[in-house]
Amino acid sequence: MTGVCGCCGALRPRYKRLVDNIFPEDPEDGLVKANMEKLTFYALSAPEKLDRIGAYLSERLSRDVARHRYGYVCIAMEALDQLLMACHCQSINLFVESFLKMVRKLLESDKPNLQILGTNSFVKFANIEEDTPSYHRSYDFFVSRFSEMCHSSYEDPDIRTKIRMAGIKGLQGVVRKTVNDELQANIWDPQHMDKIVPSLLFNLQCGEGTESRSPSPLQASEKEKESPVELTERCFRELLGRAAYGNIKNAVTPVLMHLDNHSLWEGKVFAVRCFKIIMYSIQSQHSHLVIQQLLGHLDANSKNSATVRAGIVEVLLEAAAIAASGSVGPTVLEVFNTLLRQLRLSVDYELTGSYDPTSNIGIKIIKTHEERQLQEAVIRTIGSFANTLPTYQRSEVMLFIMGKIPVPGVHPALVSTASGPEGTRMIQVMLLKSLVQVTAGFQTTNMLTALPSSFLEPLLSFSLTEDPEVRLLVLTILLSLIDRHDNRPKFSTISIISDISVLKLKVDKCSRQDNLFMKKHGQQLYRHIYLGCKEQSSGRQHYETLYTLLALLSMELANEEVVVDLIRLALALQDLALSTDESLPIYNRCAVHALAAAYLNLICQLTTVPAFCQHIHEVIEVRQKESPYLLPEDVFIDNPKLPSSLEKAEGDVLFLQSKITEVLGGSGYNTERLATPYVPQYTDEDRLSKRKSIGETISLQVEVESRNSPEKEERTPAEEITFETLKNAIVDSVGMEEQERERRRQVVEKFQKAPFEEIAAHCGARATLLQSKLNQIFEITIRPPPSPSGTISSGYGQSQSRSVPVYEMKFPDLCVY
């Protein structure tokens, strides 16, 4: 019996004896390296035995785990790792199954050291590129277990950190192992992403207050030992960097849900940080997919609190800035449509005090200041998006926003019904502020195509409202559009500059496109500047902006003809300030005088005509001595000292049109046009009495360039417009409208109630009358055409004229070539 028992060891298979020999008697001695080399050589020589080696190692490890012999467990895992690294053959798949079974056994243990040991082995396995694909391997358990380890709440903080880091490394290994293997279960499926992404965000959030980046790569390993944040961020970036076009949505959706569930939009900081990582990590051509998801999420949260919506908008702002290298996607206008819709909703919420206007009781308390912050964030975001677009697309966006400005009677569908007229006005102001952001820094070589009539005309019509805020916004938009050489800051304040060379102005020669633009729109611009100065509610800011607009027109779009028109306009403004017919306050009169003086001082130095400059400077010197309140330095200050009346404003303190015409005529300027006073053309817009807001102005801008052309002005003197003529026009038009309305009502009633025979007889009589009139007209106007070959006698002896075709005509020889 003793002999039989003694020979059992020798009868065991060789692979088992080789495996047994790698384990020392004392586990502290570690793996027996010499025997491990023999086992490795045997596995390479007989690859068909590899799966049996793995199964036997797995069996021993399970037994050692159950008996708490953790030293032997470590040795078994080390042996498995070495075999995996050494053996790349066709039969490795079965060996991997044994290996994963052992890793799973360790991860299921409640001992942190075993969990970390199993994770480290799995990470080493994940870095191995297998030669043959696997059809049946599943990593669902590992995704769940590593995600659970990422949320570890172990009592000891050091061990807790190690477990969490092991979980992060494990997830990183799963992603690396599966992301490029088409035969594996798709790691991008929501069931996996909903576990992986929140686990990473949880660890990223835990270290939000700490430094997220090491100063150098050498210190990175030390940093990872202290905190899992750096490792988490690297893993998150790697995950996103591997995402293809169709997987972006599945990767971003869990981020949105995590931020929702943990109320992280309100703070904005973490949400912005997350999406900065996302935008910088994904491929640049996929950026618009993230932006579209954010827009959809913003719509889904339309009835959430303002702080949540503001947080999403702030994230959009940052994402747009990062995606600035290209377009924000194929649906550019949809981006702006969503943002403008949120702007309109915010205004409604602010004024109605409820997220649901149909119910009388608001679901949540709406705070006005939070809605205002949201509105400002939306406007900033609109500007940020616009700055990422090329010029032609930005022009489309400008037209798009202009079309969204609600004007009752023109765009009734866009009017805010929930919040009434005040809501409509607020939306108008918000959209104009958005246009200010979109047009900021707008530069184009061809203004005629970049700023078509469909944009400029409604914009200029908005400058005729009585609302001073709206007028100021319109002027600001115009300044952004015209200023292409950054001259605008140099004219931010009105002052008399003795030498404009100190401003270092950038002036280019006016191009052909600029000349065409001014020929088409110049008269409209002059007219709206004149009417803007005429408004009683205009303040210091309005006049400073109007001065800047005049100066920029002189810098950017002025040829000789435009310069003459601008000088005539400045003199017309002086006459406006002197006119007693206008009910302008004394401050406005002084401000218009000061504006005209400052502009003439600028334009005279730009024209470089010495006699012109001398006249302007002489008048300014007289004003400085006698009437300082007619100069900008004494008007555009906090507490201007104004006279009780301007009756003394005459003589040497005024700029003389005759004198300016004389001195400029000597330098080749058109004296006839200079001598003609500028009179703005009045259109239907100006006959609307007391425009309280844009909402009450039906903007029907008519084509006026033909009426406003200089040639037209020279041929026909402008009709004098008085109060009586305006009154008669209004009364007559009202009476005619009533008569026309009554006539139409009678016609409709007749056709509705009269018998068919009567209607037929009536129409027949009208047709007969029309035909008889046409016959009379034809008899009067139609004459036989003359015959080039003379008259032809008819058979009755009468001369009859008929036309002869050209090919039958007989020409003299001299006419034939």
Side-chain angles (χ1 to χ4, degrees):
M1 293 295 293
T2 306
V4 174
C5 292
C7 71
C8 284
L11 294 174
R12 299 183 70 195
R14 186 182 178 192
Y15 74 90
K16 286 192 177 182
R17 281 182 279 136
L18 289 172
V19 170
D20 289 339
N21 290 339
I22 67 173
F23 291 93
E25 293 183 5
D26 186 358
E28 292 183 3
D29 294 341
L31 185 70
V32 180
K33 294 184 178 179
N35 294 337
M36 186 64 217
E37 290 176 1
K38 293 179 182 178
L39 177 62
T40 305
F41 180 77
Y42 176 77
L44 290 171
S45 304
E48 69 278 0
K49 301 290 186 181
L50 191 59
D51 57 325
R52 299 184 185 183
I53 294 172
Y56 184 58
L57 270 171
S58 176
E59 180 186 336
R60 284 203 57 150
L61 182 132
S62 300
R63 187 167 63 243
D64 290 335
V65 169
R67 295 175 181 177
H68 304 291
R69 296 193 294 189
Y70 300 125
Y72 288 124
V73 170
C74 294
I75 292 172
M77 290 308 299
E78 186 178 352
L80 278 168
D81 292 343
Q82 290 192 25
L83 285 172
L84 269 176
M85 300 299 290
C87 302
H88 290 267
C89 59
Q90 297 293 328
S91 56
I92 195 174
N93 275 331
L94 295 175
F95 176 71
V96 169
E97 290 301 320
S98 300
F99 168 78
L100 292 178
K101 183 179 178 182
M102 296 167 69
V103 172
R104 181 169 183 165
K105 188 77 174 177
L106 294 179
L107 293 176
E108 288 174 341
S109 170
D110 57 352
K111 299 290 183 182
N113 290 339
L114 293 184
Q115 295 173 15
I116 295 169
L117 178 65
T119 302
N120 292 338
S121 292
F122 182 83
V123 170
K124 291 177 185 176
F125 160 70
N127 290 327
I128 296 175
E129 293 185 9
E130 298 182 51
D131 297 332
T132 55
S134 172
Y135 297 90
H136 57 280
R137 201 179 299 160
S138 173
Y139 293 97
D140 292 4
F141 165 78
F142 295 100
V143 171
S144 301
R145 183 59 184 148
F146 288 139
S147 299
E148 187 180 344
M149 290 169 66
C150 287
H151 291 86
S152 174
S153 56
Y154 201 84
E155 294 179 1
D156 188 334
D158 292 335
I159 297 177
R160 180 171 67 238
T161 299
K162 290 179 181 179
I163 295 174
R164 288 185 180 181
M165 288 188 67
I168 296 165
K169 290 178 181 177
L171 289 177
Q172 190 177 28
V174 172
V175 171
R176 286 179 179 175
K177 199 65 182 171
T178 58
V179 75
N180 292 324
D181 192 347
E182 295 179 357
L183 298 171
Q184 297 292 346
N186 190 359
I187 198 68
W188 300 106
D189 285 344
Q191 59 178 349
H192 299 309
M193 283 290 108
D194 289 347
K195 296 174 184 175
I196 294 174
V197 173
S199 301
L200 296 176
L201 293 180
F202 172 75
N203 284 279
L204 200 62
Q205 187 184 354
C206 287
E208 192 176 357
T210 61
E211 185 68 29
S212 64
R213 289 195 175 276
S214 301
S216 69
L218 295 175
Q219 299 176 9
S221 58
E222 297 177 5
K223 189 71 179 175
E224 288 169 13
K225 291 177 182 177
E226 297 172 5
S227 170
V229 176
E230 182 70 18
L231 177 63
T232 304
E233 185 173 333
R234 192 164 65 248
C235 179
F236 193 33
R237 289 181 183 276
E238 182 179 339
L239 173 70
L240 294 164
R242 293 173 180 269
Y245 182 87
N247 302 326
I248 294 290
K249 183 177 180 181
N250 288 348
V252 174
T253 301
V255 178
L256 298 173
M257 299 305 296
H258 182 82
L259 296 174
D260 283 345
N261 295 336
H262 297 276
S263 303
L264 295 172
W265 292 113
E266 287 91 336
K268 300 178 187 176
V269 178
F270 181 71
V272 168
R273 182 183 174 196
C274 284
F275 276 90
K276 276 187 175 180
I277 293 174
I278 292 172
M279 296 302 292
Y280 280 121
S281 302
I282 63 174
Q283 300 174 45
S284 59
Q285 66 268 28
H286 300 160
S287 297
H288 68 276
L289 295 175
V290 179
I291 290 173
Q292 285 177 349
Q293 272 193 272
L294 281 168
L295 289 169
H297 199 65
L298 181 59
D299 275 342
N301 284 273
S302 292
K303 293 189 177 181
N304 215 323
S305 66
T307 51
V308 171
R309 285 177 283 137
I312 301 174
V313 170
E314 287 287 346
V315 171
L316 267 170
L317 179 63
E318 296 292 338
I322 295 169
S325 56
S327 171
V328 292
T331 55
V332 175
L333 293 182
E334 187 57 33
V335 172
F336 293 93
N337 196 29
T338 301
L339 291 171
L340 295 178
R341 184 165 60 248
Q342 291 299 322
L343 203 57
R344 189 166 69 249
L345 283 174
S346 178
V347 170
D348 287 346
Y349 294 158
E350 179 185 342
L351 293 176
T352 59
S354 170
Y355 291 114
D356 187 4
T358 57
S359 64
N360 297 325
I361 304 173
I363 302 171
K364 298 177 182 176
I365 299 173
I366 293 178
K367 298 178 181 177
T368 303
H369 70 280
E370 290 180 354
E371 292 293 343
R372 290 288 170 90
Q373 289 173 357
L374 168 65
Q375 292 157 15
E376 291 172 5
V378 171
I379 291 171
R380 286 199 310 273
T381 305
I382 288 173
S384 179
F385 270 116
N387 289 332
T388 68
L389 302 176
T391 301
Y392 73 94
Q393 275 189 325
R394 205 191 288 202
S395 298
E396 289 179 6
V397 172
M398 287 157 49
L399 279 168
F400 181 73
I401 297 176
M402 180 61 69
K404 290 285 185 180
I405 299 181
V407 180
V410 180
H411 302 302
L414 297 173
V415 177
S416 175
T417 55
S419 50
E422 178 60 21
T424 301
R425 182 200 160 276
M426 284 183 64
I427 293 170
Q428 291 161 351
V429 171
M430 295 295 172
L431 293 182
L432 286 173
K433 285 182 177 178
S434 302
L435 272 177
V436 170
Q437 293 286 330
V438 172
T439 55
F442 181 82
Q443 292 187 352
T444 177
T445 53
N446 189 350
M447 294 190 69
L448 204 57
T449 55
L451 308 173
S453 302
S454 53
F455 176 78
L456 269 184
E457 290 177 356
L459 179 68
L460 291 174
S461 69
F462 294 155
S463 70
L464 298 177
T465 63
E466 284 196 343
D467 191 330
E469 184 179 6
V470 169
R471 293 205 310 275
L472 192 59
L473 288 171
V474 170
L475 290 173
T476 306
I477 294 167
L478 281 174
L479 294 182
S480 298
L481 298 175
I482 294 173
D483 183 23
R484 292 174 292 178
H485 295 89
D486 299 322
N487 288 320
R488 179 179 172 184
K490 299 164 187 175
F491 301 111
S492 56
T493 56
I494 307 181
S495 60
I496 302 295
I497 304 168
S498 57
D499 183 8
I500 62 170
S501 61
V502 298
L503 297 177
K504 297 180 180 179
L505 300 171
K506 299 176 185 175
V507 184
D508 284 345
K509 187 178 180 181
C510 198
S511 66
R512 179 174 175 272
Q513 288 87 354
D514 293 342
N515 290 336
L516 290 173
F517 176 82
M518 287 305 290
K519 191 170 184 180
K520 186 174 184 181
H521 298 293
Q523 294 298 328
Q524 292 170 277
L525 291 169
Y526 308 148
R527 173 172 168 271
H528 284 81
I529 291 172
Y530 183 89
L531 295 175
C533 292
K534 196 175 177 182
E535 290 286 349
Q536 297 183 23
S537 57
S538 292
R540 174 181 172 180
Q541 237 180 330
H542 292 83
Y543 290 113
E544 289 176 343
T545 313
L546 286 165
Y547 169 72
T548 308
L549 179 57
L550 282 167
L552 290 179
L553 285 174
S554 309
M555 298 287 106
E556 301 284 347
L557 301 166
N559 53 24
E560 184 177 317
E561 186 178 326
V562 172
V563 168
V564 170
D565 283 336
L566 289 170
I567 293 171
R568 291 171 61 222
L569 176 60
L571 293 170
L573 291 177
Q574 178 179 262
D575 294 339
L576 170 67
L578 292 171
S579 174
T580 55
D581 295 337
E582 304 293 341
S583 56
L584 280 176
I586 195 68
Y587 174 79
N588 295 57
R589 292 178 184 277
C590 293
V592 173
H593 273 299
L595 168 63
Y599 177 68
L600 286 171
N601 174 68
L602 173 70
I603 196 73
C604 76
Q605 295 183 62
L606 289 173
T607 54
T608 63
V609 178
F612 184 25
C613 295
Q614 182 181 354
H615 172 65
I616 301 300
H617 291 155
E618 286 174 357
V619 174
I620 290 174
E621 287 175 6
V622 174
R623 288 190 179 188
Q624 288 171 343
K625 295 176 183 177
E626 299 179 9
S627 309
Y629 49 82
L630 298 180
L631 294 175
E633 285 79 6
D634 278 45
V635 176
F636 300 111
I637 54 177
D638 292 335
N639 297 306
K641 296 179 181 178
L642 304 175
S644 57
S645 67
L646 288 179
E647 294 177 359
K648 297 180 181 179
E650 56 185 14
D652 294 339
V653 298
L654 299 179
F655 302 101
L656 301 177
Q657 184 153 0
S658 57
K659 179 70 174 175
I660 293 174
T661 304
E662 178 185 341
V663 296
L664 287 178
S667 299
Y669 286 86
N670 188 334
T671 54
E672 189 175 349
R673 293 191 65 218
L674 278 167
T676 307
Y678 173 77
V679 178
Q681 294 290 326
Y682 285 83
T683 67
D684 294 336
E685 290 175 340
D686 308 306
R687 298 192 180 103
L688 297 171
S689 60
K690 289 294 178 184
R691 300 169 302 276
K692 298 297 181 186
S693 69
I694 299 176
E696 296 177 16
T697 306
I698 301 176
S699 302
L700 300 174
Q701 185 81 15
V702 297
E703 289 292 333
V704 295
E705 53 264 20
S706 61
R707 293 161 53 184
N708 293 342
S709 63
E711 294 79 5
K712 186 81 173 180
E713 282 187 8
E714 292 170 13
R715 287 197 303 267
T716 59
E719 179 187 355
E720 184 180 357
I721 306 296
T722 63
F723 175 75
E724 288 298 326
T725 56
L726 287 175
K727 181 180 177 182
N728 291 336
I730 294 170
V731 172
D732 292 346
S733 63
V734 170
M736 290 178 65
E737 285 178 5
E738 290 181 355
Q739 293 175 8
E740 181 68 15
R741 198 179 298 114
E742 178 64 22
R743 189 184 68 79
R744 289 186 178 183
R745 188 191 63 78
Q746 291 175 356
V747 170
V748 171
E749 185 177 352
K750 178 178 180 180
F751 275 84
Q752 285 177 342
K753 298 180 179 180
F756 175 75
E757 292 78 6
E758 182 181 341
I759 295 173
H762 175 72
C763 293
R766 291 186 62 185
T768 305
L769 179 62
L770 175 63
Q771 188 61 45
S772 64
K773 292 292 182 185
L774 286 174
N775 292 336
Q776 291 178 15
I777 294 170
F778 291 151
E779 288 176 4
I780 295 171
T781 56
I782 296 178
R783 293 282 185 271
S787 172
S789 56
T791 59
I792 301 173
S793 298
S794 66
Y796 299 98
Q798 298 173 349
S799 63
Q800 181 181 359
S801 298
R802 71 176 180 87
S803 294
V804 177
V806 174
Y807 55 83
E808 291 184 4
M809 293 181 185
K810 296 179 181 179
F811 294 97
D813 293 341
L814 292 176
C815 297
V816 179
Y817 296 93

